[in-house]
Amino acid sequence: MKMMTHTCAMLKMAVACIVLLLACGSNTEKAKNSKSETNLMKQGTVKYKSDSTNELTLDFKHLTYWYDEEYAPKPGEDVGYTYNSRGKFSIQNDTLTLLSAMPSEIDTQKGWTTNTEFLPLYATHEKLKENTVKIYFDNIAEPDYYLAYELTVRGFEKLTIEEVRSLESPKYLKAEKDTLLLFKYALVTKPKSNKLLIVDKENPNNSYFFDLDKTPSSSFHFYTRAYWSYYDFTGLKFKMSSNSLQLIDEGRLNRYEHSVINKVFEKQ
């Protein structure tokens, strides 16, 4: 009996030691992460390039990013292009996650003649069933090919697109400087987080982020043309090393697979 009591006491002591070691290890890991993040903040602004055409700037002090990509046409080519993106990022361990801002006037280059104000979301203030978002798209959009996702702390969760419809006759919406034509719409299950991402499954590089906390209505008109020269990087994750960044599959949703964004970004 004494031997059994002694053995039980030894086992309890061993378990206690393991728990203590795990706790210490956890605290040590947190301390390492905290120290690592502090060191990153000390770097201030750092620039990365994955190609001669682009530059990704990370501001570690304010946790903001800016991306520029410009391709000048070569002799015999007709068209070049310019893209940019901006927003915030977070860091966990060695993974960096981007959250793009919705494009504004400073981001977008108009490549056509129009007086239309297409950057804001124009509210239509329709009565909808609870937990539904109604988005009217411009005439070049193809919502039949769209997928919807909710951005959560765990990543992306797929949402239901309840209905896609093209109107037989367009409706008219009076804006401050123009009259908008409402051609087609999609009814989407409203994300609980109010963070909605629409991705074109035919061309996944076309994705549109909606921060519904900043929209005045659950029904609104949106111009996809606002993203003609703007990249949405919401949810993209990069593996960080001391001198480089590499896009990983988690959170990518098939976006930017054949792109300079999917190449290794080297620290400049």
Side-chain angles (χ1 to χ4, degrees):
M1 180 65 86
K2 286 183 179 180
M3 179 66 72
M4 289 181 63
T5 302
H6 179 69
T7 302
C8 288
M10 292 293 290
L11 284 171
K12 287 180 180 179
M13 187 180 296
V15 170
C17 288
I18 291 170
V19 171
L20 182 60
L21 284 170
L22 288 173
C24 289
S26 176
N27 290 335
T28 302
E29 189 64 32
K30 287 180 181 177
K32 285 181 180 178
N33 291 340
S34 178
K35 186 176 180 180
S36 176
E37 289 174 11
T38 301
N39 290 337
L40 286 171
M41 289 179 67
K42 288 180 180 178
Q43 292 187 52
T45 300
V46 180
K47 295 183 178 183
Y48 298 83
K49 293 179 73 70
S50 70
D51 189 81
S52 61
T53 62
N54 70 355
E55 185 172 77
L56 174 63
T57 303
L58 300 180
D59 182 343
F60 287 98
K61 183 177 180 180
H62 300 100
L63 296 179
T64 57
Y65 82 88
W66 184 274
Y67 178 83
D68 284 300
E69 183 179 325
E70 184 172 359
Y71 178 77
K74 298 175 182 177
E77 295 180 339
D78 296 326
V79 182
Y81 62 81
T82 300
Y83 280 98
N84 58 62
S85 181
R86 63 185 175 84
K88 300 179 179 180
F89 65 88
S90 61
I91 301 171
Q92 185 173 11
N93 299 328
D94 60 350
T95 302
L96 180 144
T97 304
L98 301 182
L99 176 65
S100 294
M102 295 178 66
S104 69
E105 193 69 49
I106 64 171
D107 306 302
T108 306
Q109 298 181 11
K110 298 187 180 82
W112 65 96
T113 302
T114 178
N115 294 320
T116 301
E117 315 160 88
F118 60 86
L119 291 172
L121 303 180
Y122 295 98
T124 60
H125 299 293
E126 298 177 47
K127 289 185 178 180
L128 304 174
K129 68 179 183 179
E130 193 176 0
N131 299 323
T132 302
V133 179
K134 187 175 187 178
I135 306 174
Y136 286 94
F137 294 94
D138 52 34
N139 61 326
I140 65 170
E142 297 184 282
D144 290 301
Y145 300 113
Y146 291 171
L147 301 172
Y149 298 90
E150 175 180 9
L151 178 63
T152 72
V153 294
R154 298 174 299 278
F156 286 112
E157 296 181 7
K158 197 168 184 180
L159 294 170
T160 300
I161 296 182
E162 302 170 12
E163 180 185 14
V164 174
R165 178 174 295 183
S166 295
L167 303 178
E168 293 182 5
S169 300
K171 293 182 180 180
Y172 296 89
L173 176 64
K174 183 65 177 176
E176 184 179 347
K177 297 181 181 178
D178 203 356
T179 298
L180 310 180
L181 296 178
L182 308 182
F183 292 97
K184 59 192 80 173
Y185 67 82
L187 285 176
V188 184
T189 300
K190 188 175 183 178
K192 294 178 181 178
S193 67
N194 274 345
K195 302 296 183 281
L196 171 65
L197 186 73
I198 300 290
V199 180
D200 185 340
K201 64 182 178 183
E202 294 295 304
N203 185 0
N205 287 3
N206 291 338
S207 64
Y208 315 112
F209 174 65
F210 300 93
D211 186 347
L212 300 180
D213 285 323
K214 299 179 181 178
T215 60
S217 171
S218 290
S219 61
F220 51 84
H221 177 274
F222 164 69
Y223 275 101
T224 58
R225 284 174 283 185
Y227 281 83
W228 269 8
S229 60
Y230 189 82
Y231 277 142
D232 171 68
F233 291 159
T234 297
L236 292 187
K237 295 179 182 292
F238 292 81
K239 199 80 169 178
M240 297 184 66
S241 70
S242 58
N243 294 307
S244 66
L245 298 171
Q246 172 68 65
L247 183 66
I248 61 177
D249 283 339
E250 183 185 354
R252 192 165 59 82
L253 302 175
N254 297 318
R255 295 174 288 169
Y256 307 111
E257 184 170 358
H258 305 292
S259 164
V260 293
I261 298 161
N262 202 18
K263 296 168 65 175
V264 177
F265 282 83
E266 300 290 349
K267 188 175 180 179
Q268 301 302 294

